[in-house]
Amino acid sequence: DYQPFYMKVPADDVEPAEARDNIERLEFVQDLIEKKFLKLEKQKVTQNDFRYYTEKWCRKFIHGQYYPKLTRLQRENLFFIVDCFAEFMFDHYQQLPRDWNITALEDVCLNLIPEKATAENEIFKSFGTVLQAFFKFLNDRNYLDTTELQKKIKAIKKQIFINALNSENWSHAKRFTMAAIERGIDLNDTFALNIFGLEYNENLQKKQKKSNKGDDNGLILDYVYSKF
């Protein structure tokens, strides 16, 4: 039978060898390890698990040529921006990364993200730049053909920021959340958020009475803050 052979030598007698692995090799090995873990845990990547791909691609993107060119804010929010885009593409268009097209991209970036996503203004300003760099990376690595996606995101990236700033485009839930952020409420503090929600809802109902509008904004916000 095969027996491993061990040999101890003084540290001073050992010279470090030149690095043999490059980033591409490390990423290849990382993919193999992930597959092994999935097999051991008897998990399969389902067709709906878009995050398996986007998170892996983001990790690889960090080692690529486009990541250092991003600003610090853009680098810090890389995973959020990509995940936000991919989630809306799947939830509203049932598109996995391989299915992404410019029609869905335009609606998601110009309408759904400004309407529903909550983030600082500077992050919305970064959406187009980050996605454009990410699409270039995917194309360079032959993960996806993103030629048309790159053209479209370049053409609309300024409008993403403009639409996101316009509060008339916001959903009721986003208006509530943005108001809480502006007030300095910690969104993870359920108690503080609910107290603020009561005040917000009361003020909203007063405005409705003054304007004689009988819409259901108050009921919607009641659901929103209780959901938090």
Side-chain angles (χ1 to χ4, degrees):
D1 294 338
Y2 171 78
Q3 297 292 331
F5 176 76
Y6 299 97
M7 182 175 64
K8 294 183 179 181
V9 295
D12 293 339
D13 294 341
V14 178
E15 292 184 4
E18 294 184 4
R20 294 187 295 269
D21 293 333
N22 55 28
I23 293 298
E24 288 75 16
R25 178 62 182 172
L26 290 174
E27 291 175 350
F28 174 76
V29 173
Q30 185 180 42
D31 287 344
L32 290 179
I33 292 173
E34 287 180 354
K35 291 178 181 179
K36 290 288 186 182
F37 273 113
L38 287 172
K39 186 175 181 180
L40 288 173
E41 296 174 3
K42 297 182 179 180
Q43 295 178 356
K44 291 184 178 180
V45 180
T46 67
Q47 64 175 10
N48 296 342
D49 194 3
F50 60 88
R51 286 192 176 91
Y52 172 82
Y53 301 100
T54 55
E55 290 180 0
K56 180 169 66 174
W57 291 340
C58 280
R59 291 197 304 271
K60 295 177 183 296
F61 177 83
I62 290 174
H63 299 295
Q65 61 176 315
Y66 301 114
Y67 182 75
K69 297 178 182 179
L70 299 178
T71 66
R72 180 178 179 179
L73 179 71
Q74 291 166 351
R75 294 195 298 267
E76 290 175 347
N77 289 279
L78 166 68
F79 282 86
F80 167 73
I81 290 173
V82 172
D83 184 74
C84 184
F85 169 77
E87 183 173 7
F88 279 123
M89 291 289 279
F90 181 77
D91 287 349
H92 293 268
Y93 284 93
Q94 292 74 55
Q95 290 188 3
L96 294 170
R98 65 171 178 266
D99 306 314
W100 290 348
N101 60 54
I102 59 174
T103 301
L105 178 147
E106 185 170 14
D107 183 41
V108 164
C109 290
L110 294 183
N111 298 313
L112 294 174
I113 287 175
E115 176 189 356
K116 299 177 181 295
T118 302
E120 299 174 3
N121 291 338
E122 286 302 312
I123 296 178
F124 284 114
K125 194 174 183 179
S126 301
F127 254 87
T129 301
V130 170
L131 288 177
Q132 186 177 0
F134 186 67
F135 292 155
K136 286 181 181 179
F137 168 79
L138 296 180
N139 202 75
D140 290 352
R141 292 294 185 91
N142 293 317
Y143 293 140
L144 296 174
D145 181 358
T146 63
T147 305
E148 296 303 315
L149 297 178
Q150 291 179 57
K151 293 178 182 178
K152 177 58 67 174
I153 199 67
K154 181 179 180 180
I156 68 173
K157 63 181 182 180
K158 291 183 179 179
Q159 194 62 42
I160 297 172
F161 179 56
I162 293 172
N163 289 4
L165 289 182
N166 188 352
S167 60
E168 293 184 1
N169 296 327
W170 299 353
S171 66
H172 297 310
K174 180 173 178 176
R175 291 185 185 189
F176 168 74
T177 308
M178 294 298 285
I181 292 174
E182 186 177 354
R183 178 69 69 86
I185 304 296
D186 181 359
L187 299 184
N188 294 316
D189 188 337
T190 305
F191 179 77
L193 200 60
N194 275 296
I195 294 298
F196 175 74
L198 291 171
E199 178 188 340
Y200 184 92
N201 206 28
E202 183 179 353
N203 291 334
L204 186 63
Q205 290 173 341
K206 288 179 180 178
K207 289 180 181 179
Q208 290 173 2
K209 289 180 181 179
K210 288 183 179 179
S211 61
N212 294 319
K213 290 183 178 180
D215 58 28
D216 58 355
N217 285 1
L219 293 177
I220 292 175
L221 265 298
D222 180 65
Y223 166 75
V224 170
Y225 72 74
S226 63
K227 184 178 179 181
F228 280 97

